[in-house]
C-alpha cells in the first residue's frame, strides 16, 4: 500500500501546480492575446473618425471595439479625467456604458480555489481507497464493505463465490473423516430440500480442530470451492480492534451480509483469538474481546439453520474456547483434523509430488514411513526441498535419495559440510550412534534401524540414528516405551563403555528419555507404584502438549524418584547389552567412522556376520 501513497501526493502536487499556472500564466496570456492597449489620444482619434463601434468604461480602463475590424480585437486604454468624453461619444454615435466591477475579494478568490482543491483531494481519496481495497484482497475476491469512508465498523471479510478459491476436496489428501463431515454440509447447501423433507436440521456451526499445518484452512477453502455458494472468509485477528465496540460492530456487519447472501458459508479462521474463555481476571482490552465474543454468540443464536448460513471455524487451541461457543446450537459439530497417518502421509506426498517432475520409481511408502509425525505442511515442504536438492545437483527429475535427504533437512537441518570436527570427536560420535543402533537392534519391539550418519546438521545434531516403523503404530506398550528409553540412553552408554568418559552429546537423548519416562509415570499409568492415576494433565494438546502437575508436593517428589529409577534401570540394561556386544560395537563404529553414513541394511549385515570374521577385522 505504501507504494501507492507517494504517487497520490504527487498527484495532489501536480494539480496544485496546474491550477497556479492557470491562474497566473495561461489565463492572463489568453486574455492579453485578445486585448491590445493603445494610447488615449489614438482612442480619441478613432472616436473622431467614427470608427469606434462600442465602448465600455470601467473603474480604471476603457475597453473599445472598432467597426469593420478584421482582427476582431478589443482595445484598451487608461481612463483619463475627461469630462467631455460623454459628449464626444454621443457625437460620434458610439454605444457606451459604464461597468462597475466589484474589486475581486481576495478572500473569496482563495476560498473558491480551496474548494476546488478540496474536491480534487476528495476524488483522489476515493480512488485511493478503492485501489487499496482491491489491492489488499485476494485478486479473486470482491469486497462487500462498500467503498470510501465511514467504513470503520464494516467487516472486511473476503467473499469468494463458487470455485473462486481454486481449491476442492481433491486438493486435500487424507483427512477422509473431516472431508466426509464437510461434504454433508456442502450437500445440504446445494440441495437443502432433501434434508428439509425428512426434517433434518444442519448443524449451525462446525469447528475444525487440530495441530498447525494439518490442512484446516485448506479444507475450509475446499468447502468453498465445492459448495457453489458465497463464502465469507475472515480471520479471528481481524476482529481485534483498538476501540471497544468496533469488533462487535464488525461481527454484526459480517452476519448482516451473510444473511443477505444466504445460503452461504462464513469461515472464521483462528477463532481462539476472539473465542477465549471469559475468565473475569483479564486486564484492559478484555472488554473489547468480550464484547466481540458476546456479539458472536448473539448472532449465532439469531439465525436459523434452515436459512442456510453455515458457520465454519478453525483453531488449534480448542481447550481455550469459551464453553458457550461450543455448546449444542452453536459450534455443535467438532471436526478433528489430526496429523496424518501412514496412508495419509503417503497420499499427501503423492498429491504434492504431482507438481514437481519426479522419477517414476519413487517409493512414497518409504518416505511416508520415515516421516512419522510430520504434518501436511511439513510433507509439502519435504517435496519442495527435494525438488530444490535435485536442482542443486543439476538434475531434471527428483529421485528417491532427494526425498530421503529432504526429510533429514526438514527434521535435522541442512548438512554442515565444512564444520570442523576433530577425528577424536568424530570417533566419539560414531560410537554414540552405533550404541543407539545396536541396542535398537537388540530390542524386540523397537523400530528397525533405517540409517545412521555422523554428518553434522545445522539444527545441532552431530549425528543421528534414524529408525523407521514398518507400519502405522497407534498404541505404545509399556515394553516399547521402556525400550525406547533404553535406546535413548544407549548413546551415552557406549561413550562410558569405550572412552570411560561422558560428553554433552547426549543432551537431546536425556531430554527425550526424561519426557517419555515422566509421561509413563504421570499419564500412561505405566509405573508399578502409582498405577492408573493421572498425575499430570495436558493443557495444550495441539501445540506442544504442555502439562501441569495435578498432585501434592509429596507425590511430586515420589514421581521424580520413580522417573530417576526408571531411567537408571533402562541405562543399566542398555549398558549391559553393549558390554555383551563390545566386539560388534567396535567393528560397526569403525565402519561408520570411515563411511560417515550407513544404511540399515549395511548395519544389520555387519551385525549378523558370523563372529570369526568380525573378530579378524577388529584385530586388523
Ligand atoms: P492449518 O491447519 O494450520 O490451517 P493449512 O490448511 O494452512 O494448515 O495447510 C498448510 C499447507 O499444508 C497447505 O497449503 C497444503 O499445501 C499443505 N497441506 C496440509 N494438509 C494437507 C492435506 N491433507 N493435503 C494436502 N496438502 C496439505
Ligand atoms: Mg490455518
Ligand atoms: Zn544420541
Amino acid at each position: 500500500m505504501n507504494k501507492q501513497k507517494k504517487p497520490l501526493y504527487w498527484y495532489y502536487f501536480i494539480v496544485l501546480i496546474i491550477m497556479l499556472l492557470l491562474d497566473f500564466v495561461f489565463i492572463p496570456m489568453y486574455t492579453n492575446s485578445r486585448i491590445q492597449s493603445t494610447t488615449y489620444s489614438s482612442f480619441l482619434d478613432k472616436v473622431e473618425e467614427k470608427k469606434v463601434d462600442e465602448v465600455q468604461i470601467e473603474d480604471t480602463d476603457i475597453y473599445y471595439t472598432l467597426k469593420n475590424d478584421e482582427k476582431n480585437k478589443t482595445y484598451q486604454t487608461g481612463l483619463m479625467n475627461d469630462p467631455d468624453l460623454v459628449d464626444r461619444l454621443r457625437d460620434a454615435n458610439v454605444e457606451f456604458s459604464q461597468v462597475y466591477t466589484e474589486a475581486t475579494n481576495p478572500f473569496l478568490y482563495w476560498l473558491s480555489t480551496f474548494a476546488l482543491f478540496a474536491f480534487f483531494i476528495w476524488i483522489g481519496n476515493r480512488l485511493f481507497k478503492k485501489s487499496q481495497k482491491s489491492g489488499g484482497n485476494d485478486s479473486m475476491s470482491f469486497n462487500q464493505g462498500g467503498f470510501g469512508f465511514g467504513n470503520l465498523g464494516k467487516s472486511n471479510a473476503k467473499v469468494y463465490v463458487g470455485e473462486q478459491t481454486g481449491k476442492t476436496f481433491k486438493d486435500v489428501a487424507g483427512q477422509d473423516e473431516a472431508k466426509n463431515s464437510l461434504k454433508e454440509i456442502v450437500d445440504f447447501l446445494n440441495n437443502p430440500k432433501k434434508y428439509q423433507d425428512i426434517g433434518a436440521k444442519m448443524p449451525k456451526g462446525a469447528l475444525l480442530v487440530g495441530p498447525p499445518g494439518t490442512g484446516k484452512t485448506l479444507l475450509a477453502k475446499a468447502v468453498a470451492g465445492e459448495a457453489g455458494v458465497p463464502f465469507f472468509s475472515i480471520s479471528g485477528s481481524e476482529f481485534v480492534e483498538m476501540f471497544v465496540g468496533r469488533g462487535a460492530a464488525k461481527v454484526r456487519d459480517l452476519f448482516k451480509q451473510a444473511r443477505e447472501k444466504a445460503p452461504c458459508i462464513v469461515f472464521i479462521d483462528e477463532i481462539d483469538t476472539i473465542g477465549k474463555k471469559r475468565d473475569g481476571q483479564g486486564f484492559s482490552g478484555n472488554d473489547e474481546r468480550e464484547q466481540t465474543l458476546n456479539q458472536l454468540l448473539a448472532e449465532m443464536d439469531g439465525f436459523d439453520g434452515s436459512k442456510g448460513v453455515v458457520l465454519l471455524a478453525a483453531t488449534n487451541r480448542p481447550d481455550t474456547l469459551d464453553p458457550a461457543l461450543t455448546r449444542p446450537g452453536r459450534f455443535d459439530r467438532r471436526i478433528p483434523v489430526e496429523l496424518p497417518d501412514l496412508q495419509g502421509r503417503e497420499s499427501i506426498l503423492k498429491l504434492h509430488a504431482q507438481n514437481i517432475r519426479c522419477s517414476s520409481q519413487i517409493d512414497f511408502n518409504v518416505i511416508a514411513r520415515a516421516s512419522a509425525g510430520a504434518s501436511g505442511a511439513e510433507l509439502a515442504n519435504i517435496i519442495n526441498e527435494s525438488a530444490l536438492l535435485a536442482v542443486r545437483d543439476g538434475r531434471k527429475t527428483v529421485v528417491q535419495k532427494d526425498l530421503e535427504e529432504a526429510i533429514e533437512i526438514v527434521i535435522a537441518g541442512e548438512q554442515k559440510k565444512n564444520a570442523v570436527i576433530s577425528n577424536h570427536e568424530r570417533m566419539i560420535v560414531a560410537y554414540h550412534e552405533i550404541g543407539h543402533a545396536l541396542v535398537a537392534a537388540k530390542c524386540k519391539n523397537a523400530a528397525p534401524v533405517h540409517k545412521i550418519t555422523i554428518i553434522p546438521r545445522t539444527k545441532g545434531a552431530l549425528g543421528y540414528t534414524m529408525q523407521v516403523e514398518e507400519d502405522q503404530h497407534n498404541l505404545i506398550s509399556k515394553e516399547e516405551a521402556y525400550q525406547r528409553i533404553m535406546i535413548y540412553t544407549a548413546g551415552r552408554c557406549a561413550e562410558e563403555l569405550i572412552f570411560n568418559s561422558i560428553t554433552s552429546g547426549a543432551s537431546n537423548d536425556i531430554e527425550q528419555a526424561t519426557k517419555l519416562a515422566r509421561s509413563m509415570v504421570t499419564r500412561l499409568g505405566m509405573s508399578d507404584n502409582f498405577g492408573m492415576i493421572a498425575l499430570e494433565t495436558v493443557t495444550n494438546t495441539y501445540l506442544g502438549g504442555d502439562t501441569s502437575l495435578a498432585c501434592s508436593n509429596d507425590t511430586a517428589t515420589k514421581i521424580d524418584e520413580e522417573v530417576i529409577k526408571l531411567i537408571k534401570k533402562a541405562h543399566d540394561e542398555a549398558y549391559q547389552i553393549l558390554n555383551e556386544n563390545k566386539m560388534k560395537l567396535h567393528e560397526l563404529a569403525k565402519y561408520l567412522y570411515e563411511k560417515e553414513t550407513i544404511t540399515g541394511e549395511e548395519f544389520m549385515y555387519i551385525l549378523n556376520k558370523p563372529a570369526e570374521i568380525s573378530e579378524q577385522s577388529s584385530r586388523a
Side-chain angles (χ1 to χ4, degrees), residues 493-552:
C493 290
E495 292 176 35
E496 288 168 26
L497 181 67
I498 306 298
F499 300 96
N500 212 2
S501 81
I502 53 179
T503 68
S504 61
S507 60
N508 185 47
D509 299 334
I510 292 171
E511 203 181 307
Q512 302 276 352
T514 313
K515 213 162 133 188
L516 180 53
R518 222 187 150 72
S519 67
M520 278 175 77
V521 175
T522 60
R523 290 195 294 115
L524 306 179
M526 288 181 179
S527 79
D528 302 331
N529 287 348
F530 291 109
M532 284 180 62
I533 305 278
L535 300 164
E536 262 179 0
T537 49
V538 179
T539 47
N540 199 348
T541 342
Y542 293 126
L543 298 172
D546 307 334
T547 52
S548 57
L549 270 181
C551 59
S552 69

Side-chain angles (χ1 to χ4, degrees), residues 432-433 436 505 509:
H432 178 110
E433 295 308 331
H436 286 306
D509 299 334

Side-chain angles (χ1 to χ4, degrees), residues 213 215-218 267 269-270 314 316:
K216 297 182 294 297
T217 309
L218 184 67
F267 174 54
D269 207 352
E270 315 290 352
N316 31 42

Side-chain angles (χ1 to χ4, degrees), residues 168-185 208 214-215 219 223 333-348 351:
T168 63
F169 283 140
K170 282 205 201 80
D171 294 295
V172 189
Q175 307 296 4
D176 292 329
E177 300 78 15
K179 271 197 275 186
N180 282 341
S181 279
L182 292 169
K183 266 181 194 151
E184 200 181 10
I185 292 174
L208 297 160
T214 46
L219 271 166
V223 168
R333 184 174 285 197
R334 183 185 277 227
I335 303 178
V337 188
E338 298 286 349
L339 288 173
D341 57 10
L342 179 58
Q343 228 182 347
R345 288 198 299 278
E346 191 173 335
S347 52
I348 293 174
L351 182 77

Side-chain angles (χ1 to χ4, degrees), residues 434-475:
I434 294 295
H436 286 306
L438 227 167
V439 173
K442 294 289 174 192
C443 288
K444 266 202 258 48
N445 297 316
V449 174
H450 182 72
K451 183 176 178 179
I452 312 168
T453 171
I454 54 167
I455 298 172
R457 297 274 169 171
T458 45
K459 285 191 189 163
L462 288 174
Y464 61 85
T465 304
M466 196 164 153
Q467 287 171 266
V468 174
E469 299 277 3
E470 304 222 277
D471 44 29
Q472 178 70 24
H473 265 224
N474 298 312
L475 292 173

